[in-house]
Each structure stands twice: as structure tokens, then as C-alpha cells.
Amino acid sequence: MILTFDDGYRSIYDLAFPVLKQYGFTGAVYVITGYVGAPSYMNSEQLTELFANGWEIGSHTLSHEDLVKNPSHAYDQMVGSKLYLEKLLGIKELTVAYPYGKADENITRRAARYGYFGGMGLGVNNVHSVETLYYLSRQEIKSDCDLVCFEKIITGKNIEP
């Protein structure tokens, strides 16, 4: 299991990072790079600290635009974000989490063409292969999900088709 966090909110750094670190865990955070340093979002120093502590830092595009609705913006959204993170972290091995978990075949092909190593969506499919590398599904945990809810989801007892 991998814990992933979207958007790059400051609360990930303030709340999730110390707890996961205390128990020897890391996570992956998908950052809206146009919001880095904005109020309520992590700044570049916090992102590099997470990365230095073993966290994966990935793209959530420049401004969280729905790429399926606006495919003509996909290049600027995905490549701009990727270039920012490559420069910040000094790496080229990045994945992308599609805004709203939405991607069609056009967007997944573009993610591959733009040099991403994989793409993250939403869903309950836990069986993946090379064919699904650019749409790996993740189970969404919303803020009103308590520990009982969380346990049901991670044990597979609450997964809806």
C-alpha cells in the first residue's frame, strides 16, 4: 500500500509527515506546482525536505485543470509542472496524478510522451500491468472518513464497484 496525497497542502507537511516519519513510513505527494508557496500550500523548502526523507514528489499539473475537458492545455499543464519539479528536486523520474483522477486515452498517451513514468487516477482496480501504467487507480479517502472508514477501505471491505 502507498499513501498518496494530492494538491500539496501545507497540512501534509505539518500533520501527515511527522506522524508517518514517527512510524517509519513515507508517502507520495502530488503537487499543483503553480500553488507552491501560496497560502495553505507547501513551499519549495518543505517539498525538498519531504523528498530528502524518502517521499515521492509528483506532478498534479500547474493549476489542477481538467485535462479531459481541456486537452489543448495538457502540454502546458503537464510539462510546465514536470520541468518545475525536475529543477527543484534534481530528478527526471516523475509520475503525474491527473486532476480529479480523470484521464482518457489521449491524456494518458500524452503523459507517456511528455516523459512521465506513470500516471495516477482514481478507482478500485488493484490489478495493474504495463498496459495500465498510465492510469494506476487509487482509492480516495475524503476528510470525513474516520479510522473505522479508513480500515474498511484499506482492507477492501468497503470498496464499491
Side-chain angles (χ1 to χ4, degrees):
M1 175 178 41
I2 300 170
L3 294 175
T4 65
F5 302 85
D6 285 357
D7 303 331
Y9 288 113
R10 169 79 188 238
S11 60
I12 298 164
Y13 180 83
D14 291 340
L15 303 173
F17 175 47
V19 171
L20 292 176
K21 186 175 183 177
Q22 176 184 350
Y23 291 100
F25 293 103
T26 61
V29 62
Y30 291 95
V31 180
I32 304 169
T33 56
Y35 298 174
V36 172
S40 301
Y41 290 87
M42 285 185 276
N43 61 39
S44 58
E45 292 82 15
Q46 292 160 335
L47 290 170
T48 55
E49 183 179 352
L50 288 177
F51 183 71
N53 278 273
W55 281 59
E56 177 184 347
I57 310 296
S59 168
H60 205 32
T61 71
L62 283 174
S63 66
H64 203 268
E65 187 171 346
D66 185 331
L67 302 177
V68 174
K69 284 185 181 176
N70 299 301
S72 65
H73 299 174
Y75 180 85
D76 291 338
Q77 287 288 317
M78 287 197 278
V79 173
S81 180
K82 185 174 186 294
L83 291 173
Y84 175 87
L85 292 172
E86 286 176 346
K87 182 176 180 182
L88 178 67
L89 304 172
I91 62 166
K92 299 242 183 239
E93 298 80 23
L94 292 167
T95 55
V96 60
Y98 307 109
Y100 311 102
K102 294 169 54 178
D104 57 17
E105 188 177 335
N106 174 38
I107 298 303
T108 60
R109 274 187 278 135
R110 287 177 185 231
R113 188 170 53 235
Y114 300 156
Y116 284 101
F117 282 80
M120 310 298 154
L122 291 174
V124 296
N125 181 19
N126 292 319
V127 179
H128 294 288
S129 67
V130 172
E131 288 78 31
T132 63
L133 185 59
Y134 286 92
Y135 198 89
L136 300 171
S137 52
R138 303 175 296 160
Q139 180 72 39
E140 185 175 19
I141 311 286
K142 297 192 176 193
S143 61
D144 62 349
C145 183
D146 61 14
L147 283 176
V148 172
C149 166
F150 182 73
E151 180 183 14
K152 287 179 180 178
I153 291 171
I154 65 168
T155 60
K157 296 177 183 170
N158 196 36
I159 297 176
E160 300 174 6

